[in-house]
Each structure stands twice: as C-alpha cells, then as structure tokens.
C-alpha cells in the first residue's frame, strides 16, 4: 500500500495554501533544493566538463526515461527525456508520418491542446505534401478513423474537461485501419497508471512539470514502441541523437532505438530536480494512486454540487471517464478563480468559462478537499468574486 501521509510529507506546500493545480505545475519536492544545490556545488562546481562522464549527466535522459517507464507502462529503454512537450509532439508526428508515406490525414480532436494542433499545422506546411489535419469532436474520434488516416494524434485526457479517451480501443481501431497512434500523456503521466505497451501505442509523449512534479521547465519525454524504434526517422536530427555523437561525423546517422529521439544538450539541473520527484514516485503504486484520485475528486464534485448550484459540471460524471481533474463552468469563472486564489485555494481558469481543479493524491487529502469546498461555497454564496480587482485578466490564467 502506498503511504500517502508519507508522500504528502515529501512536498512543500506553502502554509495556508490548498493547491488544486498540480495538473498545471506540480509542487516542489522537499528534497529538490538540496539535490540541485549539491549538483551545482559538487558536480558542476567541482567537476565542470568532466561531470558529463563522472556524474553520468549524459545518461540522465535515458536513466530518467526508464524510471518514468513504470508510470506509463513502457518497456525499459524505450523512453527518453528532452526538450519540451511541443517539440516531442512534432518529433513523434514527423516520425509517424514517414512510417505511413502513402497516407495524408492526421486525425485529432477539437479538445486537443492548441500546441499539439499548431505543431501538426506547422509540420504539414513544412512538408508541403498535401497532409490534412482533420479535427472531430472527442466523442467522434473512433468513428472517424478511416483508411486514409496516417496517424491519430490524441491527448488522452482533455485539458479542459478532464475527459479521458479509451486508449486501447482507439489504438486498436487505428491499427485495424492501418494507422499509427500517437498519445499525448500530458494529463495522464502521474495522474493514473498508463499502459502504453499494453494499450499498443506507437508513440507517446508527455511532460514532467504537471503531475510528475519536475518543476517549471522540466523536460518532456517520448516513447517509441519497440517495433518502430529502429525505423522511426527523427526529423529533428541533433548531434546527441546521432549513432556516434563524439565522432563528429558530417552526415547524420540515427542512434540506436530511443537514443535517436535525443536532440541536443540535456537540461541537467532541471533533470536533477525531476529525479528528486521520482524518488517519491518510486514509492507509489499506480492503482493506489488512481483509487485515491477518484476518492478525492468525487468528494470535491459532490461537495461543490451540493453547495454551489450556480456551477455547472463540465467534466464527465463517471470517474472512470475522467483523468485526475474536475472542471466546472461559470460565466464569471475567471473572477471566481481569482477570489479563490486570494483565499488560498489555487485552481486555474481556461477560456472561455472553465474553472479547473486538479487532484494530486501525493500531496492532497480529504481535509484539503473539504476546506476547498467550504471556501468555494463562501465565495459563491457571498459573491466575493464580484469585484473589479478579480475581473482583470493576468497573462497566465
Ligand atoms: C501542457 C501541455 C502542453 C505544453 O507543451 P510545452 O511544450 O511543454 O509547453 C502540450 N500539450 C498538451 C496536451 C498539454 O497539456
């Protein structure tokens, strides 16, 4: 059994704050500052360039990849860290399209995150070979997987509604129609146990600063299924994805397997922070995590529905159809979120009217949920949001 009292102790949450935004940026692991400081002083400070060998910085992207593999159900040596999620989406998509050279359709849904769609649009323009990004409603994806689809590019959990796609079913349908599947796990990795190998995903990508708690700017990961690992051609051919980076060849030749998805110099400081979060993750059973996540989010949902009738549930009601967030719609949602923040409850807002609340069992418990419901109830009943200072939009919502 996972000890969620222990995991809670491993994170720093400011006094008086109830943090319901771990779906956007996870909390600071208490051991991260020491780890990063030690890395800077003892490795960077003392070893300088020799740290790449002496402290294993060069292997860090695959070492961490193997640790994340358990959380997403990937085989060992098929996950690597680097760059940002947007870049990893581009990489996966470019590779998948070259594996389906006779097809022209990239299928995604209207609930996908804009950056994923922009990457598909940019790549399509760059290739200039008549590719089409076809968008359908999330509920219509399965029926839209036809024999002209090269690749399905789907984010498993919708960033606004929290709706979760059926990965094994959609992947099976894609394969039946001869298409490849790319899964974006931005709101899945660390939200519940994913099974990319069992689900048959061809490619998967995700970020580490949301549920995984790697900190702002923590790099993304990419998974390539074993059957594609030696065939996928990386469009972003960087020197660290080369078979022999230190031969300094003038011609690119891809590295073995997942190594070829590396691009350039890895962010060592950032990955050191991420490694301290993984120390905690190593102690977490993903079935326990899912059970806790459902308990906490159901408790919140019930409390809000009972006390705040103006808020409209925007997430699926059935917990198994959600990731680890619950969203509500309200016309003045932005102002409500600002009022909540001023009372110490941190959620976030997505245009046009969606209030999001993330549930992260590693550092949240029932008491937090009950207190958050009580504060939200007070904000709604007293219309505490209805003041000009909560109406002005900040840059980051
Ligand atoms: C958070 C998120 C991103 C962000 O991409 P970055 O390159 O890390 O900024 C991309 N796609 C999805 C689905 C996300 O949820």
């Amino acid at each position: 059994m996972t000890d969620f009292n222990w995991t809670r102790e491993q994170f720093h949450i400011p006094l008086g704050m109830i943090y319901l935004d771990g779906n956007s940026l996870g909390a600071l692991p208490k051991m991260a500052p020491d780890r990063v400081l030690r890395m800077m002083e003892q490795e960077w400070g003392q070893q300088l360039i020799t740290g790449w060998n002496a402290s294993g910085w060069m292997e860090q992207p695959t070492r961490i990849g193997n640790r994340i593999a358990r959380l997403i159900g990937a085989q060992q040596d098929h996950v690597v860290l680097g760059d940002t999620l947007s870049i990893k989406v581009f990489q996966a998509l470019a590779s998948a399209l070259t594996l389906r050279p006779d097809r022209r359709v990239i299928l995604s849904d209207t609930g996908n995150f804009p950056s994923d769609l922009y990457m598909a649009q940019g790549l399509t323009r760059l290739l200039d070979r008549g590719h089409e990004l076809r968008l359908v409603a999330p509920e219509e994806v399965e029926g839209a997987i036809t024999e002209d689809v090269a690749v399905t590019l789907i984010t498993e959990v919708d960033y606004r509604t929290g709706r979760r796609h059926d990965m094994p079913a959609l992947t099976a349908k894609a394969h039946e129609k001869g298409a490849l599947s790319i899964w974006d796990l931005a709101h899945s990795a660390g939200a519940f146990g994913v099974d990319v190998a069992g689900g048959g995903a061809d490619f998967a990508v995700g970020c580490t600063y949301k549920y995984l708690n790697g900190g702002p700017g923590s790099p993304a990961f990419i998974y390539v299924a074993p059957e594609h690992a030696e065939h996928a051609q990386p469009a972003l051919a960087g020197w660290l994805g080369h078979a022999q980076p230190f031969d300094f060849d003038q011609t690119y030749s891809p590295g073995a397997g997942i190594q070829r998805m590396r691009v350039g110099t890895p962010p060592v400081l950032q990955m050191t922070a991420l490694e301290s979060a993984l120390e905690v993750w190593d102690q977490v059973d993903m079935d326990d995590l899912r059970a806790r996540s459902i308990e906490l989010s159901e408790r919140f949902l019930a409390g809000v529905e009972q006390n705040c009738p103006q808020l409209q549930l925007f997430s699926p009601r059935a917990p198994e159809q959600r990731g680890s967030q619950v969203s509500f719609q309200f016309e003045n949602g932005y102002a409500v979120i600002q009022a909540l923040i001023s009372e110490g409850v941190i959620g976030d807002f997505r245009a046009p009217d969606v209030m999001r609340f993330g549930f992260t069992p590693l550092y949240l418990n029932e008491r937090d949920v009950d207190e958050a419901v009580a504060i939200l109830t007070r904000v709604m009943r007293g219309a505490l949001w209805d003041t000009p200072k909560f109406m002005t939009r900040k840059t980051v919502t």
Side-chain angles (χ1 to χ4, degrees), residues 23-24 83-89 112-116 119 155 157 159 184-187 206-207 209-210 218 220 356:
N23 51 310
S24 271
D83 316 299
T84 77
L85 177 52
S86 304
I87 302 288
K88 282 342 205 188
V89 167
N112 204 347
F113 190 77
S115 203
D116 297 42
M119 283 291 158
T155 296
V157 176
Y159 73 106
D184 187 330
L185 305 179
H187 295 277
C207 49
Y209 52 80
K210 292 175 178 161
S218 187
R356 294 196 305 183

CSV table of all heavy atoms in Angstrom, one decimal, residues 23-24 83-89 112-116 119 155 157 159 184-187 206-207 209-210 218 220 356, ligand 1:
chain,number,residue,atom,x,y,z
A,23,ASN,N,-2.1,19.8,-11.8
A,23,ASN,CA,-2.3,19.4,-13.2
A,23,ASN,C,-1.6,20.4,-14.1
A,23,ASN,O,-1.4,20.1,-15.3
A,23,ASN,CB,-3.8,19.2,-13.5
A,23,ASN,CG,-4.6,20.5,-13.1
A,23,ASN,OD1,-4.5,20.9,-12.0
A,23,ASN,ND2,-5.4,21.0,-14.0
A,24,SER,N,-1.3,21.5,-13.6
A,24,SER,CA,-0.6,22.5,-14.4
A,24,SER,C,0.9,22.6,-14.1
A,24,SER,O,1.7,22.7,-14.9
A,24,SER,CB,-1.2,23.9,-14.2
A,24,SER,OG,-2.2,24.2,-15.1
A,83,ASP,N,13.9,18.4,-24.3
A,83,ASP,CA,13.1,19.4,-25.0
A,83,ASP,C,11.8,19.6,-24.2
A,83,ASP,O,11.6,19.3,-23.1
A,83,ASP,CB,12.9,19.0,-26.4
A,83,ASP,CG,14.2,18.4,-27.0
A,83,ASP,OD1,15.1,19.2,-27.1
A,83,ASP,OD2,14.2,17.2,-27.4
A,84,THR,N,10.8,20.2,-24.9
A,84,THR,CA,9.5,20.5,-24.3
A,84,THR,C,8.5,19.6,-25.0
A,84,THR,O,8.8,19.0,-26.1
A,84,THR,CB,9.1,21.9,-24.5
A,84,THR,OG1,8.6,22.1,-25.9
A,84,THR,CG2,10.2,22.9,-24.2
A,85,LEU,N,7.4,19.5,-24.4
A,85,LEU,CA,6.3,18.6,-25.0
A,85,LEU,C,6.0,19.0,-26.4
A,85,LEU,O,5.8,18.1,-27.3
A,85,LEU,CB,5.1,18.6,-24.1
A,85,LEU,CG,3.9,17.8,-24.6
A,85,LEU,CD1,4.3,16.4,-24.9
A,85,LEU,CD2,2.8,17.8,-23.5
A,86,SER,N,5.9,20.3,-26.7
A,86,SER,CA,5.5,20.7,-28.1
A,86,SER,C,6.5,20.1,-29.1
A,86,SER,O,6.1,19.6,-30.1
A,86,SER,CB,5.5,22.2,-28.2
A,86,SER,OG,4.7,22.8,-27.2
A,87,ILE,N,7.8,20.2,-28.7
A,87,ILE,CA,8.8,19.6,-29.6
A,87,ILE,C,8.7,18.1,-29.8
A,87,ILE,O,8.8,17.5,-30.8
A,87,ILE,CB,10.2,19.9,-29.0
A,87,ILE,CG1,10.5,21.4,-28.8
A,87,ILE,CG2,11.4,19.3,-29.8
A,87,ILE,CD1,10.7,22.2,-30.0
A,88,LYS,N,8.3,17.4,-28.7
A,88,LYS,CA,8.2,16.0,-28.7
A,88,LYS,C,7.0,15.6,-29.6
A,88,LYS,O,7.0,14.5,-30.2
A,88,LYS,CB,8.1,15.4,-27.3
A,88,LYS,CG,9.4,15.2,-26.5
A,88,LYS,CD,10.7,15.3,-27.4
A,88,LYS,CE,11.9,14.7,-26.9
A,88,LYS,NZ,13.1,15.0,-27.8
A,89,VAL,N,5.9,16.4,-29.5
A,89,VAL,CA,4.8,16.1,-30.4
A,89,VAL,C,5.2,16.2,-31.8
A,89,VAL,O,4.9,15.3,-32.7
A,89,VAL,CB,3.6,17.2,-30.1
A,89,VAL,CG1,2.6,17.1,-31.2
A,89,VAL,CG2,3.0,16.9,-28.7
A,112,ASN,N,-8.2,18.8,-28.2
A,112,ASN,CA,-6.8,18.7,-28.0
A,112,ASN,C,-6.2,20.1,-27.7
A,112,ASN,O,-6.8,21.1,-28.0
A,112,ASN,CB,-6.1,18.2,-29.3
A,112,ASN,CG,-4.8,17.5,-29.0
A,112,ASN,OD1,-4.2,17.6,-27.9
A,112,ASN,ND2,-4.3,16.8,-30.0
A,113,PHE,N,-5.0,20.0,-27.1
A,113,PHE,CA,-4.3,21.3,-26.7
A,113,PHE,C,-3.8,22.0,-27.9
A,113,PHE,O,-3.3,21.4,-28.8
A,113,PHE,CB,-3.2,20.9,-25.7
A,113,PHE,CG,-2.5,22.0,-25.0
A,113,PHE,CD1,-3.2,22.6,-23.9
A,113,PHE,CD2,-1.3,22.5,-25.4
A,113,PHE,CE1,-2.6,23.7,-23.3
A,113,PHE,CE2,-0.7,23.5,-24.8
A,113,PHE,CZ,-1.3,24.1,-23.7
A,114,PRO,N,-4.0,23.3,-27.9
A,114,PRO,CA,-3.6,24.0,-29.1
A,114,PRO,C,-2.2,23.7,-29.6
A,114,PRO,O,-2.0,23.6,-30.8
A,114,PRO,CB,-3.7,25.5,-28.7
A,114,PRO,CG,-4.8,25.5,-27.7
A,114,PRO,CD,-4.6,24.2,-26.9
A,115,SER,N,-1.2,23.6,-28.7
A,115,SER,CA,0.2,23.4,-29.2
A,115,SER,C,0.3,22.2,-30.0
A,115,SER,O,1.0,22.1,-31.0
A,115,SER,CB,1.2,23.4,-28.0
A,115,SER,OG,2.5,23.7,-28.4
A,116,ASP,N,-0.4,21.1,-29.7
A,116,ASP,CA,-0.4,19.9,-30.4
A,116,ASP,C,-0.9,20.1,-31.8
A,116,ASP,O,-0.4,19.6,-32.8
A,116,ASP,CB,-1.2,18.8,-29.7
A,116,ASP,CG,-0.7,18.4,-28.4
A,116,ASP,OD1,-0.3,19.3,-27.6
A,116,ASP,OD2,-0.6,17.2,-28.0
A,119,MET,N,1.5,22.3,-33.9
A,119,MET,CA,2.7,21.5,-34.4
A,119,MET,C,2.3,20.8,-35.6
A,119,MET,O,3.0,20.7,-36.6
A,119,MET,CB,3.1,20.6,-33.3
A,119,MET,CG,3.9,21.3,-32.2
A,119,MET,SD,5.5,21.8,-32.8
A,119,MET,CE,5.9,23.1,-31.7
A,155,THR,N,-4.7,13.6,-27.4
A,155,THR,CA,-4.3,13.7,-26.0
A,155,THR,C,-5.3,12.9,-25.1
A,155,THR,O,-6.5,13.1,-25.3
A,155,THR,CB,-4.3,15.2,-25.6
A,155,THR,OG1,-3.3,15.9,-26.4
A,155,THR,CG2,-4.0,15.4,-24.1
A,157,VAL,N,-6.2,12.7,-22.0
A,157,VAL,CA,-7.1,13.4,-21.1
A,157,VAL,C,-7.2,14.9,-21.6
A,157,VAL,O,-6.2,15.6,-21.7
A,157,VAL,CB,-6.6,13.4,-19.6
A,157,VAL,CG1,-7.5,14.2,-18.7
A,157,VAL,CG2,-6.6,11.9,-19.1
A,159,TYR,N,-7.6,18.7,-21.6
A,159,TYR,CA,-7.1,19.6,-20.6
A,159,TYR,C,-8.2,20.5,-20.0
A,159,TYR,O,-8.0,21.0,-18.9
A,159,TYR,CB,-5.9,20.5,-21.2
A,159,TYR,CG,-6.4,21.6,-22.2
A,159,TYR,CD1,-6.4,22.9,-21.8
A,159,TYR,CD2,-6.8,21.2,-23.5
A,159,TYR,CE1,-6.9,23.9,-22.7
A,159,TYR,CE2,-7.2,22.2,-24.3
A,159,TYR,CZ,-7.3,23.5,-24.0
A,159,TYR,OH,-7.7,24.5,-24.8
A,184,ASP,N,-0.7,11.7,-26.4
A,184,ASP,CA,-0.1,12.8,-25.6
A,184,ASP,C,-0.6,12.5,-24.2
A,184,ASP,O,-1.8,12.5,-23.9
A,184,ASP,CB,-0.6,14.2,-26.1
A,184,ASP,CG,0.1,15.3,-25.3
A,184,ASP,OD1,0.5,15.1,-24.2
A,184,ASP,OD2,0.3,16.4,-25.9
A,185,LEU,N,0.4,12.3,-23.3
A,185,LEU,CA,0.1,11.9,-21.9
A,185,LEU,C,0.2,13.1,-20.9
A,185,LEU,O,0.5,12.9,-19.7
A,185,LEU,CB,1.0,10.7,-21.5
A,185,LEU,CG,0.9,9.5,-22.4
A,185,LEU,CD1,1.9,8.4,-21.9
A,185,LEU,CD2,-0.5,8.9,-22.5
A,186,ALA,N,0.1,14.3,-21.4
A,186,ALA,CA,0.4,15.5,-20.6
A,186,ALA,C,-0.4,15.4,-19.3
A,186,ALA,O,0.1,15.8,-18.2
A,186,ALA,CB,0.0,16.8,-21.3
A,187,HIS,N,-1.7,15.0,-19.4
A,187,HIS,CA,-2.6,15.0,-18.2
A,187,HIS,C,-2.8,13.6,-17.7
A,187,HIS,O,-3.8,13.3,-17.1
A,187,HIS,CB,-3.9,15.7,-18.5
A,187,HIS,CG,-3.7,17.2,-18.7
A,187,HIS,ND1,-3.6,18.1,-17.7
A,187,HIS,CD2,-3.4,17.9,-19.9
A,187,HIS,CE1,-3.3,19.3,-18.2
A,187,HIS,NE2,-3.2,19.2,-19.5
A,206,GLY,N,4.9,13.2,-23.3
A,206,GLY,CA,4.2,13.9,-22.2
A,206,GLY,C,5.2,14.8,-21.5
A,206,GLY,O,6.3,14.9,-21.8
A,207,CYS,N,4.6,15.5,-20.5
A,207,CYS,CA,5.5,16.5,-19.8
A,207,CYS,C,5.7,16.0,-18.4
A,207,CYS,O,5.0,15.2,-17.8
A,207,CYS,CB,5.0,17.9,-19.9
A,207,CYS,SG,3.3,18.1,-19.6
A,209,TYR,N,6.4,18.4,-15.8
A,209,TYR,CA,6.2,19.5,-14.8
A,209,TYR,C,4.8,19.6,-14.2
A,209,TYR,O,4.5,20.3,-13.3
A,209,TYR,CB,6.6,20.9,-15.4
A,209,TYR,CG,5.9,21.2,-16.7
A,209,TYR,CD1,4.6,21.7,-16.7
A,209,TYR,CD2,6.6,21.0,-17.9
A,209,TYR,CE1,4.0,22.0,-17.9
A,209,TYR,CE2,6.0,21.3,-19.1
A,209,TYR,CZ,4.7,21.8,-19.1
A,209,TYR,OH,4.1,22.0,-20.3
A,210,LYS,N,3.9,18.8,-14.8
A,210,LYS,CA,2.5,18.7,-14.3
A,210,LYS,C,2.4,17.7,-13.1
A,210,LYS,O,3.0,18.0,-12.1
A,210,LYS,CB,1.5,18.4,-15.4
A,210,LYS,CG,1.5,19.6,-16.5
A,210,LYS,CD,0.7,19.3,-17.7
A,210,LYS,CE,0.6,20.5,-18.6
A,210,LYS,NZ,0.3,20.2,-20.0
A,218,SER,N,10.9,21.6,-16.6
A,218,SER,CA,11.3,20.2,-16.6
A,218,SER,C,11.0,19.6,-18.0
A,218,SER,O,10.0,19.9,-18.6
A,218,SER,CB,10.6,19.5,-15.5
A,218,SER,OG,11.1,18.2,-15.3
A,220,ALA,N,10.4,17.2,-21.4
A,220,ALA,CA,9.3,16.3,-21.8
A,220,ALA,C,9.9,14.9,-22.0
A,220,ALA,O,11.1,14.7,-21.9
A,220,ALA,CB,8.7,16.7,-23.1
A,356,ARG,N,-10.8,25.0,-13.5
A,356,ARG,CA,-10.2,23.6,-13.3
A,356,ARG,C,-9.7,23.4,-11.9
A,356,ARG,O,-9.0,24.3,-11.4
A,356,ARG,CB,-9.1,23.4,-14.3
A,356,ARG,CG,-9.4,23.5,-15.7
A,356,ARG,CD,-8.2,22.9,-16.5
A,356,ARG,NE,-6.9,23.6,-16.3
A,356,ARG,CZ,-5.8,23.3,-16.9
A,356,ARG,NH1,-5.8,22.3,-17.8
A,356,ARG,NH2,-4.7,23.9,-16.6
B,1,LIG,C1,0.7,21.2,-21.1
B,1,LIG,C2,0.5,20.7,-22.4
B,1,LIG,C3,1.4,21.0,-23.4
B,1,LIG,C4,2.5,22.0,-23.2
B,1,LIG,O1,3.6,21.9,-24.0
B,1,LIG,P1,5.0,22.5,-23.7
B,1,LIG,O2,5.8,22.4,-24.9
B,1,LIG,O3,5.6,21.7,-22.5
B,1,LIG,O4,4.8,23.9,-23.2
B,1,LIG,C5,1.3,20.5,-24.7
B,1,LIG,N1,0.3,19.6,-25.0
B,1,LIG,C6,-0.7,19.3,-24.0
B,1,LIG,C7,-1.7,18.3,-24.3
B,1,LIG,C8,-0.6,19.8,-22.7
B,1,LIG,O5,-1.5,19.5,-21.8
